[in-house]
Amino acid sequence: PVAVRAAPAQARDVPVEVRAVGRIEASQSVAVRPQVSGQITRMHFTEGQYVQKDALLVEIDRRPYEAALAEARGRLAQDQARAENARADATRFAELVGKEYVSRSQYEAAKANAAALEAAVVADRATVERAALNLSYCTIRAPASGRTGRLLVHPGNLVSANASEPLLTLQQVKPVFA
């Protein structure tokens, strides 16, 4: 006979424990790449640091993009002034063509010039928006909350827009997959 020990049955909570070989994976992993080229001026995190969504991570030298924005704004102001003058000329020529002081072709040319300068103003506004957007890309923020991975660049390094190698990876650790 085999000796056994007996105990009275009881109802109670028992933790469920499974012992197995496996691995833990982040529920989300983001490779952070720059959208503009330039020199890294500051890093606002350390490797392995937990960062919140929208936290400032990296700053790229803003000066070339600030200059491009100022140049675009200057070109817009210049073309707006030219367009305003061309509109005024077209209006004057419209009155003068009725009195036959100017030819119809001169009036049409003034009208076409005004329309061309209006189109240039629209293009200049788009250039200003693009320059402002590029300037905003000089600050790289965390797209999600998580733990930063290995830092692949340092202040002073030159980075390229949409480079194949990321600046860093960001791993979301809440929740994780086992």
Side-chain angles (χ1 to χ4, degrees):
V2 178
V4 290
R5 293 189 331 202
Q10 299 177 16
R12 64 178 172 175
D13 292 334
V14 179
V16 176
E17 186 174 306
V18 176
R19 293 181 185 263
V21 176
R23 63 181 179 170
I24 302 293
E25 289 185 14
S27 59
Q28 182 181 10
S29 179
V30 179
V32 178
R33 290 182 173 84
Q35 290 183 289
V36 292
S37 300
Q39 185 177 25
I40 302 265
T41 56
R42 288 190 67 193
M43 305 299 280
H44 293 272
F45 70 97
T46 56
E47 289 181 3
Q49 178 182 347
Y50 185 82
V51 294
Q52 295 292 331
K53 183 178 186 323
D54 294 326
L56 182 59
L57 298 175
V58 179
E59 286 184 61
I60 296 174
D61 188 9
R62 303 170 59 87
R63 293 173 298 175
Y65 299 100
E66 288 171 341
L69 179 59
E71 181 182 355
R73 285 180 176 155
R75 193 172 300 116
L76 173 62
Q78 184 180 32
D79 284 347
Q80 282 176 329
R82 286 182 181 159
E84 183 65 33
N85 187 37
R87 270 193 308 271
D89 283 349
T91 303
R92 279 192 298 275
F93 276 40
E95 294 170 3
L96 296 175
V97 79
K99 298 176 183 176
E100 297 183 359
Y101 291 143
V102 295
S103 69
R104 186 91 175 141
S105 64
Q106 286 176 313
Y107 166 66
E108 294 296 330
K111 200 164 101 174
N113 185 39
L117 287 172
E118 286 295 327
V121 167
V122 170
D124 289 342
R125 284 191 182 115
T127 303
V128 167
E129 287 178 25
R130 186 178 60 238
L133 185 62
N134 284 340
L135 180 60
S136 73
Y137 288 153
C138 288
T139 55
I140 299 173
R141 298 188 175 279
S145 297
R147 191 160 305 282
T148 59
R150 194 175 72 117
L151 183 58
L152 302 173
V153 293
H154 301 282
N157 287 136
L158 187 64
V159 295
S160 298
N162 300 316
S164 61
E165 179 123 350
L167 300 177
L168 67 123
T169 56
L170 191 62
Q171 308 288 330
Q172 186 176 7
V173 292
K174 291 180 184 175
V176 294
F177 296 124

